[in-house]
Amino acid sequence: MADVSLKEAALIVGVVTACYWNSLFCGFVFDDVSAILDNKDLHPSTPLKNLFQNDFWGTPMSEERSHKSYRPLTVLTFRLNYLFSELNAVSYHFLNLVFHVVVCVVFLKVCKLFLDNRSSVVAALLFAVHPIHTEAVTGVVGRAELLSSIFFLAAFLSYTKSKGPDNTIVWTPIAVTVFLVAVATLCKEQGITVVGICCVYEVFIAQGYTLPVLLDTAVQILRGKGSIPFSMLQTLLKLIVLMFSTLLLVVVRVQVIQSQLPVFTRFDNPAAVSPSPARQLTFNYLLPVNAWLLLNPSELCCDWTMGTIPLVESLLDVRNVATLTFFCFLGSLIVFSLRYPGDSSKTVLMALCLIVLPFIPASNLFFPVGFVVAERVLYVPSMGFCILVAHGWKKLSNKSVLRKISWVCLAAVLFTHALKTLHRNWDWESEYTLFMSALKVNKNNAKLWNNVGHALENEKNFERALQFFIQATQVQPDDIGAHMNVGRTYKNLNKTKEAEESYMIAKSLMPQIIPGKKYAARVAPNHLNVYINLANLIRANESRLEEADQLYRQAISMRPDFKQAYISRGELLLKMNKPLKAKEAYLRALELDRTNADLWYNLAIVYIELKDPTEALKNFNRALELNPTHKLALFNSALLMQESGDARLRPEAKQRLLHYVKEEPQDANGYFNLGMLAMDDKKDTEAEAWMKKAIRLQPNFRSALFNLALLYSQTGKELMALPVLEDLLRHYPEHTKGLILKGDILMNQKKDIVGAKKCFEKILELDPNNVQGKHNLCVVYFEERDLVKAEKCLVETLALAPHEEYIQRHLNIVRSKIASLGATEQSSLPADGTTAAEEKKKSFQNLKEVKKEQKTTRTGVDNNKGHSENKKQTEKTNTDKETPKKSTKEIKDIEKKRVAALKRLEEIERILNGE
């Protein structure tokens, strides 16, 4: 076995870099979205064990919607990328480029087993630049092919060392081979096929048998004319070990997928659900299609599902000629390689093994797959193709007549392939460029039209997206997902009627329930979201809530394990003021998935509606255990702790709010509530800082403006409160509490009776029955020395609040003043904005406004898997709310003002009593 020289390795590195440097500028597209952006298994907070319990896309293997693609080691490399660069796409693409270089170098080493140095370099260079590899190298999810290929080739190289001197068995390389096969399989399933290649290598290369020799030996043994040679017994022993190891891996793999095959629809692989002979004819025709992609990679497409390749439904279909030609050519190569001894036949045989065996898992031969053609699955088979081409080029170049032309052709192929690869990489720059490039190749695939629509939808270009979605419905009228996409886009364009019509069409295309037959076996699970989407649409109409509930229940009846239906129904039931039924819905969903933080959060909201804050807090905490960065759980649990009045919970509430503002630094609500906590803890400077930060982020933040002004009033900084109140009243001129506070400051601090009077009169314009504003206007009349008007005003105020003793006392004072002293004797009455608060046993704290996040459930809307919208919408409504009445201890900070108010009142009463 010849080693790879430094020059050869440098050449391959240079060529790969030249072909794939621009892949570093591509983003996450197509399947990358599900495997990288939406995959929680990449996050450091996710336990490592989840990688070995979930599939490639982060879905638990036990769930029916799982694709059963078990590739934990590949996901582990994604996680390492995330650890160092999070979601910076450059690092992911760079690592893919490095892995492709490694595969090319190891492949060169393999080539040298069967080709001379020059031909081996040719094969490796052709493999390095072949455009068919762009999906595997430039697409991040193609890393599964790259990693699996590294260990695939390493396992084969290890096995080639298992033959010792005198044909003895060396067991260490075999053990290493078994281990590397297992590792390759944990990167991608096709890694296990290297065992078949090892078996062929052992029999026909290492032992040098040909098919006629094996047949003759078998005949002799069966006739009893001979015994099995010792060398053949050794070969059988090695093969038995390999096959037993393979069987063990297969058993483990079957256990991992829990003996369930993934559920695909006819849209993913139409031939798989077609009747005979269309199924067999189409599957056979796909083989020459794949071979043609290797021979002529001029028209590449990222998605070959749905109507890309029409079914071959008749023996008279002209495409059957291509199938027949392919099998004739393949058969002749197999006969040549197995029948004749010699290096050429051995090279052809190993090339065929690399082409055929790794392709078997994608061939639909043993089980249906979720695609028609996939370019990335040709990554390993293309190795055999490259060996065949290099071997044929060697034959031609050895003939003097064809030497020059063979070199010219080789240079042309390598150059054009490299240019095609470089150009093809740019297609993967974004989802829009990728799917538009695919539409240039094939316009009969509705999924491509849908995906271009999704790309435009993500850019908020709903009008153009709608055109592509509608085109998808025209290309494939029975595509449920396309009609769902049309409905969702109409909804985004606020065309409710058209949206409902599209959802109804999608609903009508759903398979009808057949007694005794599993519904899930006949439809993609995400198609059931048509019921969710339609229900979410019509429930905006209060008169159709029962109709929406019926749709949720219909989805549940079809799939009792349809978790999303329970979640959405729970939210609806809360809206219908049925918290107990909502609780039942969420508990049922939790039976299906106890690791969903959103479900625990929603259940906490239900307990709040049921007036059970203790249970609510427990469920918030459970949500945060599962997802420590759950923003709504952090925010609302902190509010719940704050509202509890338990001072022991305030430090934890503060920590959660600090965590929240770290996650949502632009949300003013978090800073405001930190300010409210600081006010509760009498940390005035800190409260001021938090309030100001909230106002900087949201200058019209009603509650933050008022409470900052109130804070200044409480701390003897009344004049600083005035500009804040001016801002508040500029945004909210009808803010009653702000007007009361401003009037009080103007009258008691600025001695601006006219300004205070305008404030109180404005209050009465807004609310003629406002006792506080009315009383304070009475005080203004008193200060203006209009005792008659003050008396009349107080009488009217007393009629509004006959049980308020302080109003009656003030009225008595005014009447006594009128009776005993006449209109010339004046004194002062306290204004109810601050000083009369003592008479009412209320403090400034009673004016305190609390900005609260409305606690609403989070539910999935339009949950189309893949490139359909997959969102959790949270409505946040800010409401102003007074805090409950505070204890005596909590109003000590305004004692000086209250004492002053009492002194003023005592002075008035002393004058009126003639003391």
Side-chain angles (χ1 to χ4, degrees), residues 87-270:
L87 295 176
N88 182 358
V90 174
S91 72
Y92 294 79
H93 288 293
F94 177 74
L95 197 55
N96 271 25
L97 191 153
V98 171
F99 286 145
H100 184 51
V101 168
V102 173
V103 173
C104 292
V105 172
V106 180
F107 176 59
L108 175 57
K109 194 175 180 68
V110 171
C111 289
K112 291 188 176 188
L113 293 172
F114 314 109
L115 299 169
D116 58 33
N117 275 355
R118 189 173 62 182
S119 301
S120 297
V121 172
V122 168
L125 288 176
L126 180 58
F127 180 80
V129 303
H130 203 296
I132 201 72
H133 299 153
T134 51
E135 184 171 346
V137 181
T138 309
V140 177
V141 295
R143 187 178 298 177
E145 266 74 25
L146 304 177
L147 283 173
S148 180
S149 298
I150 292 172
F151 295 107
F152 179 102
L153 295 174
F156 177 69
L157 286 174
S158 176
Y159 186 80
T160 60
K161 300 176 182 179
S162 64
K163 181 180 178 181
D166 300 326
N167 207 24
T168 57
I169 300 175
V170 183
W171 290 106
T172 300
I174 295 177
V176 173
T177 296
V178 172
F179 171 76
L180 291 173
V181 170
V183 174
T185 306
L186 290 175
C187 293
K188 191 177 180 184
E189 298 79 4
Q190 69 182 29
I192 201 170
T193 59
V194 71
V195 173
I197 296 175
C198 291
C199 291
V200 173
Y201 174 84
E202 175 65 31
V203 175
F204 296 100
I205 309 299
Q207 301 300 328
Y209 295 121
T210 61
L211 188 59
V213 171
L214 290 176
L215 291 175
D216 184 62
T217 303
V219 169
Q220 293 296 327
I221 293 171
L222 290 175
R223 290 178 177 177
K225 295 182 178 180
S227 60
I228 301 176
F230 180 73
S231 61
M232 191 172 288
L233 288 174
Q234 286 186 309
T235 300
L236 286 173
L237 180 61
K238 292 170 73 173
L239 295 181
I240 289 171
V241 170
L242 278 178
M243 298 306 295
F244 178 79
S245 302
T246 304
L247 182 61
L248 185 62
L249 287 174
V250 170
V251 170
V252 172
R253 184 69 175 81
V254 171
Q255 290 297 316
V256 166
I257 66 173
Q258 300 184 2
S259 303
Q260 294 178 342
L261 289 175
V263 177
F264 298 115
T265 69
R266 59 190 177 86
F267 299 114
D268 298 316
N269 189 350

Side-chain angles (χ1 to χ4, degrees), residues 346-564:
K346 291 179 180 180
T347 300
V348 171
L349 178 60
M350 292 312 300
L352 289 176
C353 286
L354 282 168
I355 293 173
V356 175
L357 295 179
F359 186 74
I360 287 177
S363 66
N364 292 282
L365 185 61
F366 298 109
F367 48 81
V369 294
F371 53 84
V372 178
V373 173
E375 292 166 12
R376 63 175 175 263
V377 303
L378 294 175
Y379 189 77
V380 175
S382 69
M383 295 178 185
F385 171 78
C386 292
I387 291 176
L388 276 181
V389 172
H391 182 58
W393 173 84
K394 174 188 171 184
K395 295 287 187 182
L396 292 175
S397 63
N398 285 339
K399 297 180 179 180
S400 58
V401 179
L402 300 175
R403 181 175 296 121
K404 287 185 178 180
I405 194 170
S406 66
W407 277 100
V408 170
C409 291
L410 175 65
V413 168
L414 292 177
F415 181 71
T416 55
H417 276 42
L419 281 182
K420 173 66 177 178
T421 298
L422 190 66
H423 181 266
R424 173 65 172 157
N425 288 334
W426 289 120
D427 292 341
W428 293 79
E429 184 178 11
S430 68
E431 294 208 317
Y432 180 77
T433 57
L434 178 64
F435 297 125
M436 285 300 292
S437 71
L439 281 177
K440 293 176 183 177
V441 176
N442 174 33
K443 291 181 170 58
N444 296 322
N445 186 338
K447 190 174 178 180
L448 295 176
W449 294 97
N450 279 319
N451 285 337
V452 175
H454 289 307
L456 293 168
E457 188 179 34
N458 292 335
E459 298 172 359
K460 307 300 181 185
N461 193 345
F462 298 121
E463 291 287 353
R464 282 198 67 202
L466 181 61
Q467 296 173 12
F468 282 89
F469 289 141
I470 290 175
Q471 182 63 34
T473 63
Q474 293 172 355
V475 170
Q476 190 85 37
D478 57 350
D479 182 6
I480 297 171
H483 290 287
M484 291 168 66
N485 292 335
V486 171
R488 184 183 63 257
T489 310
Y490 274 130
K491 182 183 176 183
N492 290 330
L493 292 170
N494 295 318
K495 297 182 178 180
T496 307
K497 181 180 178 182
E498 291 87 347
E500 183 173 347
E501 289 174 355
S502 296
Y503 284 140
M504 290 301 293
I505 293 174
K507 182 172 174 285
S508 68
L509 294 171
M510 296 289 285
Q512 299 301 310
I513 297 177
I514 301 175
K517 188 171 182 180
K518 278 191 175 182
Y519 183 80
R522 298 175 294 117
V523 68
N526 62 304
H527 284 171
L528 281 171
N529 282 301
V530 67
Y531 295 97
I532 307 300
N533 298 348
L534 181 57
N536 290 340
L537 179 70
I538 66 176
R539 70 190 237 186
N541 186 339
E542 295 289 337
S543 64
R544 301 182 70 182
L545 296 182
E546 289 293 343
E547 185 180 346
D549 187 38
Q550 176 63 30
L551 286 168
Y552 291 136
R553 284 185 278 130
Q554 187 174 354
I556 291 170
S557 68
M558 291 180 170
R559 282 281 300 269
D561 61 345
F562 189 20
K563 178 178 62 181
Q564 190 59 55

Side-chain angles (χ1 to χ4, degrees), residues 782-796:
F782 189 89
E783 294 290 340
E784 290 178 338
R785 304 176 186 278
D786 191 342
L787 296 180
V788 174
K789 202 168 185 179
E791 178 190 19
K792 180 182 178 183
C793 178
L794 285 169
V795 169
E796 292 173 354

Side-chain angles (χ1 to χ4, degrees), residues 741-772:
L741 187 57
K742 180 182 177 182
D744 176 65
I745 294 173
L746 289 174
M747 186 165 63
N748 293 323
Q749 302 298 324
K750 300 269 292 186
K751 306 303 179 184
D752 183 357
I753 304 300
V754 176
K757 184 178 182 180
K758 288 180 181 179
C759 290
F760 300 138
E761 286 176 342
K762 176 69 174 177
I763 293 169
L764 293 179
E765 286 178 17
L766 300 171
D767 181 11
N769 296 323
N770 188 291
V771 175
Q772 197 171 7

